[in-house]
Amino acid sequence: MENNLIIFGSVTLAMKSRNLLLKNNIKSGLVRTPIHLNRKSCGYSLYVPENFERALEIIRSNGIAVKGTAAVDTL
């Protein structure tokens, strides 16, 4: 399974990233970070079902810090 979850340090960064991806025609959804992945984060992540690597590249190139990534089956 490939990564499809981007974990952030704040809900503000997650929302900013979601809007940035939307402007770049990449679908994503703001979700609660699964409890087993919620280590020192705000508890919110972006679920990116397609174009994950491109999404991560866009987020990082805009100076947004990412706490981590993960692969999840269901949310």
Side-chain angles (χ1 to χ4, degrees):
M1 176 187 306
E2 295 182 23
N3 286 341
N4 55 13
L5 197 68
I6 303 173
I7 304 167
F8 295 93
S10 75
V11 69
T12 303
L13 292 178
M15 291 171 60
K16 183 177 179 180
S17 296
R18 181 190 59 191
N19 293 338
L20 184 61
L21 294 180
L22 185 60
K23 289 178 184 176
N24 284 275
N25 297 313
I26 297 177
K27 293 180 184 178
S28 66
L30 187 66
V31 297
R32 294 292 302 198
T33 304
I35 193 74
H36 67 281
L37 298 173
N38 193 0
R39 295 178 283 244
K40 297 180 183 177
S41 80
C42 65
Y44 285 93
S45 298
L46 278 185
Y47 176 73
V48 184
E50 299 174 1
N51 300 312
F52 183 83
E53 292 301 324
R54 178 72 181 130
L56 196 54
E57 179 183 317
I58 290 168
I59 290 167
R60 287 183 170 156
S61 70
N62 279 274
I64 299 173
V66 171
K67 286 284 185 180
T69 62
V72 294
D73 290 328
T74 59
L75 298 173

